[in-house]
Amino acid sequence: ITAFMDDENNNYVQNTISIRKANQWESITLFLNPTKNQSSAAQHVQKAITFIDSHISLRIKIQDVAKECFLSVSYLSKIFKEQTGVSISNYIISRRIDLAKKELSETAKSIEAISQELGFYDIQHFSKTFIQKIKMSPREYRKLTTPMLLKKK
């Protein structure tokens, strides 16, 4: 479900995306920066985000996203960065880490299973990326955020 809201000063367009994963809805919000071709660029970026989010467990290549949007890699990369403020690869990594944080704190799944579900090459790659972004290991994050009821199971 997508909602576009344009403020009166025409400064930003808010784009909220809800995705369903494991019978739960998750929402992410991006603030898109309008341009002269805003509607076209925003539609392409929206399509790219939808594709990425629905394929997050796969090893997504920017070429795959561009092909899905019928755009060149360079043009999609340019408008994605202009519209969202982040590169496509950083968006993919951030989404995976956000989903990993949720899984680590709300489930008893192994760290290896979570890393595989989210499309990381292996557990070492996942751990290294997680530490770079969160400044602690997945195991440390789980210990800090797991509710007591889940820890007792």
Side-chain angles (χ1 to χ4, degrees):
I1 301 169
T2 304
F4 287 95
M5 293 180 285
D6 197 357
D7 74 0
E8 290 184 26
N9 295 326
N10 201 25
N11 289 330
Y12 290 95
V13 177
Q14 180 180 342
N15 186 10
T16 303
I17 304 159
S18 296
I19 60 170
R20 187 175 179 124
K21 182 175 181 188
N23 295 325
Q24 294 179 357
W25 285 99
E26 286 187 32
S27 294
I28 59 168
T29 302
L30 299 172
F31 292 94
L32 302 177
N33 189 6
T35 64
K36 289 182 182 176
N37 295 325
Q38 190 274 322
S39 61
S40 175
Q43 288 174 356
H44 288 306
V45 170
Q46 174 63 45
K47 187 170 185 170
I49 288 170
T50 300
F51 178 81
I52 292 165
D53 288 345
S54 64
H55 294 84
I56 200 74
S57 64
L58 304 175
R59 295 196 177 119
I60 303 167
K61 296 178 184 172
I62 297 173
Q63 294 86 343
D64 299 331
V65 181
K67 185 177 179 181
E68 178 70 17
C69 297
F70 302 103
L71 299 172
S72 70
V73 170
S74 60
Y75 181 67
L76 178 61
S77 297
K78 177 183 179 285
I79 64 170
F80 195 96
K81 177 83 174 187
E82 286 173 353
Q83 294 287 307
T84 66
V86 296
S87 69
I88 296 170
S89 57
N90 281 341
Y91 175 79
I92 294 168
I93 291 167
S94 294
R95 280 300 288 145
R96 286 181 172 155
I97 294 300
D98 288 345
L99 292 169
K101 287 167 45 180
K102 184 173 175 43
E103 292 291 311
L104 287 166
S105 62
E106 296 179 6
T107 72
K109 292 178 186 175
S110 72
I111 293 171
E112 184 172 9
I114 293 168
S115 72
Q116 289 175 351
E117 285 176 15
L118 295 174
F120 285 92
Y121 295 106
D122 55 41
I123 194 167
Q124 290 82 16
H125 178 239
F126 169 66
S127 293
K128 181 180 176 182
T129 303
F130 195 92
I131 290 168
Q132 285 175 342
K133 295 289 183 184
I134 308 302
K135 308 299 184 220
M136 66 178 73
S137 72
R139 184 170 274 108
E140 292 168 326
Y141 183 85
R142 174 171 268 167
K143 285 180 185 176
L144 277 174
T145 62
T146 304
M148 292 305 291
L149 293 174
L150 191 57
K151 288 180 182 176
K152 290 181 181 179
K153 288 184 180 180

